[in-house]
Structures are given as C-alpha cells and as structure tokens.
Amino acid sequence: MRGYSFSQFLPSNIPKGGFDELLKLFLELLNYTSGDANEALAWLNELDKQYNLTQDDYGIGDFIDELKQKGYIDDNNNSGGFQITGKTEQSIRKSALEEIFGKLKKSGKGSHNTNLSGLGEEKNADRREFQFGDSLDQIDMTASIHNAQINHGISDFTMTERDLEVEEKDFKTLTSTVLMIDISHSMILYGEDRITPAKKVAMALAELIRTRYPKDTLDIVVFGNDAWPINLKDLPYLQVGPYHTNTYAGLELAVDILRRRKTHNKQIFMITDGKPTCLKEGNRYYKNSIGLDRKVVNKTLNKAAECKRLKIPITTFMIAKDPYLQQFVRKFTEINGGKAFYSSLKGLGEYIFEDYIKNRRRTVR
C-alpha cells in the first residue's frame, strides 16, 4: 500500500517530576506568550491534564507556590494574576543561551582563538623592549628595575627607556553590534511563528555578550512602520504588531547608534522574513505591499551603500524562501558588501552565534 499511515503522537520525552523540570517548560512557554505568566501557567495546566506532567504529591498549585517563594513570579495587583520578575527574565536569557550555544559547542563551532598579540587584557609569556605608543600598564616594573640594575649598577640607580620591559597581551577586538528584529505582521503570517525564535536569539546573544564579552556592546532595534530601540529587559514581552516593514528606518536608527560607539568593529545583524514595504515621509507613511516597490527598495539600497562607506557590514538572516525576496536580499548584500544567510527558523541561532564570534576576530582599520 502506497502513501502514509498516521497515528496519534505520543511524546516520550516530556519532563515529569518536580520544580526544576516544570520550570524549564514554564520558561519555554513564556517565550511563546510574550512574558505573560498567567497565559503560560494556563498552558502548563492544560499540558498537565493532557500528558500528566506532575506527580501525585506535587501538582501545578505546588509549582506556583514555589515560583512565588523563589522569586520567579509576583502577584499582579492590577489584574489579580501573576507577573514575572527580573529573575525570570534573566533565567529566560540563560535558557536561550544554553539551548543555542550548547549546540554550537557540540558541533565544534564557535572557536575564536587568535595567534595575534597586541592590545588586550590577557597577558601571555612574551616579553620585549618598550616601544613608543605602549601603554604604561603593559610595563613589567619588577623586570624593568632588574634590567636597570644589571645595565647601570646598583650604587647610583638609573633607568632608561631601553631598560623597560613590556609584557605582551593577547589581542582582543571589541565589537559593537546592533541586532535588528522585524516585528511586522508577516512575522506571524500563514500560521508560522517567526518572532519567538528571533526573540530567543536576541536574548541568547545578549546573555553571551554580557557574560563572555562584557566590553562588547549589543543594541536591539525593532522595526515595523517605524523603528525604535528596546531594552534587554523588554525582549520577553516583544510582540508582532499590525505593521508594514520599514527597513530603511531600522537601518537609519542602527547607524545612528553605531556612530556613537567608539569601537573599530561595528556590525548590524538583521532578522527579517520579508521585503521593505514602507517609508515615512514627514508625518505620513508611504506603504506598498505589492511586489517590490521601486521607491522603497531604492532608498533601502542607498542606506546599505551608506553603511558600506561607514565600514558597517550588514549580515541579513532571511527566514523566508520566496525567490524574488531572496533576489532583493542578494542585491542588498552585494551593495553593502555584507553577508546573507537564508536560514530556517531551526538553525537561526547557530548561524548568528557562529557569525558573531567569527566577526569578533576581524579588525577594521
């Protein structure tokens, strides 16, 4: 018999047990409910009814009590329900980081070793004479005094420039990144949730930078009809709106942010699933969702060229497969000199992390 035979899906790896197992599921649900604790708990309760997540001596009510005791949720006096706390927001970011970065480590990606020496923070075993331009904190004073005593004697202490010995440090690049996230209506169109993976990536990337590269900067810009920056703490609550896609406004804001950064390495990561369809002209919006509007496209391509002149590469993560949209992205990438990934939602995080770490090794002069 040809064809497919369908049967009921019986999940075999649903966590079952106490607080830690339920917390992982609760944090995952919060990504899909945009930080709404009440909706996430309602979903959790339904999943428990259907799949028997809890044990006889520990139910969802016990889990909610423990969430409150451990500071993950607070009573919301306005709605009579619950709201998540800063501790939960951080836990969501850590969970996203472990999920995405863990896959990179298992696949052997993400190495960012460099054999260059220069300005940095991590000392190595190399020593050399002082050269004009070296910072004072690189000078090994103990070794330098020792050199002066050997070279000039100890009776009449003298130190010259040739006595100074410098400790080499491992080269480090500092990078300023703007992550642009498309929140137009198309990000949830046709029943496909694209905004949740984008939020996960943003939270994981922010946690990676905060914990591993604390001197790097990450700014997050969302764009629909307009563009505006959001704080890290706002990410779990981010939702798609009834917007068109004003890519130009997003790029304009990203460039303005990066102009104020003092680092040499600057880059833009853009997560989008569609074409630019909107511009703001004074107080009115020019919108056209049909095809590729020449007026909107040309202005967006001009901004890509400006980014190239400013040495700001744009890496576009395109999560749509329409050939004519990919053609636009190829043109956009060619003009900017950046890169484009035509990624599925499943591999989005790994692509962005690998590219971010790789770009940290690039030095823009």
Side-chain angles (χ1 to χ4, degrees):
M1 177 181 174
R2 300 183 64 182
Y4 297 94
S5 176
F6 295 92
S7 60
Q8 183 181 4
F9 172 63
L10 298 174
S12 58
N13 58 349
I14 291 181
K16 185 172 183 177
F19 179 81
D20 291 338
E21 289 77 12
L22 292 174
L23 179 62
K24 291 177 183 177
L25 189 51
F26 176 62
L27 294 176
E28 183 68 19
L29 291 173
L30 284 171
N31 285 313
Y32 291 91
T33 64
S34 297
D36 189 326
N38 299 300
E39 187 177 358
L41 289 170
W43 285 14
L44 189 62
N45 199 49
E46 288 301 316
L47 288 171
D48 183 38
K49 288 180 184 177
Q50 190 169 355
Y51 298 112
N52 298 318
L53 300 181
T54 59
Q55 300 172 346
D56 293 337
D57 58 346
Y58 189 89
I60 297 298
D62 298 311
F63 175 64
I64 293 174
D65 288 340
E66 200 164 350
L67 284 175
K68 293 170 65 177
Q69 291 169 10
K70 294 185 175 181
Y72 286 97
I73 58 173
D74 284 332
D75 292 316
N76 189 332
N77 296 326
N78 295 327
S79 66
F82 302 107
Q83 62 186 14
I84 64 174
T85 64
K87 180 178 181 179
T88 306
E89 293 168 358
Q90 185 177 24
S91 298
I92 295 172
R93 295 197 301 270
K94 286 184 176 179
S95 177
L97 177 62
E98 290 169 5
E99 177 184 340
I100 295 172
F101 200 64
K103 292 177 182 176
L104 273 179
K105 289 190 291 185
K106 289 176 184 176
S107 64
K109 299 176 182 178
S111 175
H112 55 285
N113 296 327
T114 174
N115 56 4
L116 300 177
S117 293
L119 295 177
E121 296 178 346
E122 299 175 2
K123 297 177 182 179
N124 59 35
D126 295 336
R127 294 287 191 273
R128 60 172 173 79
E129 287 187 6
F130 177 85
Q131 297 174 357
F132 179 77
D134 289 335
S135 61
L136 294 178
D137 65 331
Q138 286 182 263
I139 299 174
D140 185 338
M141 292 307 300
T142 301
S144 299
I145 292 172
H146 180 66
N147 293 339
Q149 291 175 336
I150 293 174
N151 295 335
H152 311 292
I154 60 174
S155 57
D156 185 15
F157 181 78
T158 303
M159 178 179 287
T160 67
E161 183 177 316
R162 294 192 63 183
D163 300 321
L164 298 178
E165 187 171 312
V166 169
E167 296 175 298
E168 284 282 32
K169 295 183 178 181
D170 289 334
F171 181 82
K172 274 191 172 182
T173 58
L174 300 181
T175 301
S176 294
T177 303
V178 173
L179 178 62
M180 292 174 51
I181 303 177
D182 184 349
I183 58 167
S184 62
H185 180 66
S186 60
M187 289 290 278
I188 55 170
L189 209 57
Y190 310 120
E192 186 170 29
D193 178 12
R194 296 164 176 153
I195 190 63
T196 299
K199 287 194 299 183
K200 266 191 179 182
V201 167
M203 288 187 287
L205 188 58
E207 192 67 12
L208 174 75
I209 291 173
R210 191 183 69 83
T211 56
R212 301 194 179 214
Y213 310 113
K215 292 193 175 183
D216 283 9
T217 64
L218 174 67
D219 294 278
I220 302 167
V221 169
V222 296
F223 61 104
N225 289 350
D226 297 286
W228 60 95
I230 63 171
N231 295 321
L232 179 59
K233 68 183 297 295
D234 299 327
L235 269 173
Y237 312 100
L238 188 62
Q239 297 183 35
V240 168
Y243 306 124
H244 285 67
T245 308
N246 192 343
T247 308
Y248 176 86
L251 291 171
E252 187 175 43
L253 178 56
V255 169
D256 185 54
I257 291 171
L258 289 174
R259 282 182 191 272
R260 299 194 294 267
R261 299 298 183 191
K262 303 303 181 184
T263 55
H264 286 295
N265 284 1
K266 300 176 182 182
Q267 61 186 353
I268 295 172
F269 286 168
M270 179 168 65
I271 304 174
T272 183
D273 73 324
K275 61 197 175 188
T277 60
C278 175
L279 292 173
K280 190 172 184 180
E281 299 176 323
N283 294 323
R284 66 179 285 268
Y285 294 97
Y286 175 85
K287 304 173 184 177
N288 183 4
S289 299
I290 301 173
L292 288 169
D293 186 289
R294 185 165 56 88
K295 180 178 180 179
V296 179
V297 167
N298 287 347
K299 195 162 185 179
T300 305
L301 293 178
N302 288 339
K303 180 59 70 172
E306 179 187 337
C307 289
K308 182 177 183 179
R309 291 193 298 271
L310 295 172
K311 297 183 179 179
I312 301 175
I314 303 168
T315 304
T316 305
F317 296 89
M318 185 70 173
I319 47 180
K321 298 178 180 178
D322 308 64
Y324 82 102
L325 294 181
Q326 292 187 359
Q327 183 180 2
F328 161 74
V329 171
R330 279 193 291 271
K331 183 67 174 176
F332 179 89
T333 303
E334 179 185 348
I335 289 175
N336 174 255
K339 287 179 286 185
F341 293 94
Y342 304 97
S343 170
S344 66
L345 293 173
K346 185 177 180 181
L348 181 63
E350 290 92 318
Y351 274 122
I352 289 182
F353 270 51
E354 185 181 7
D355 201 62
Y356 171 77
I357 294 172
K358 181 179 179 181
N359 285 353
R360 290 193 79 257
R361 299 172 61 185
R362 174 183 50 81
T363 306
V364 178
R365 298 295 184 187

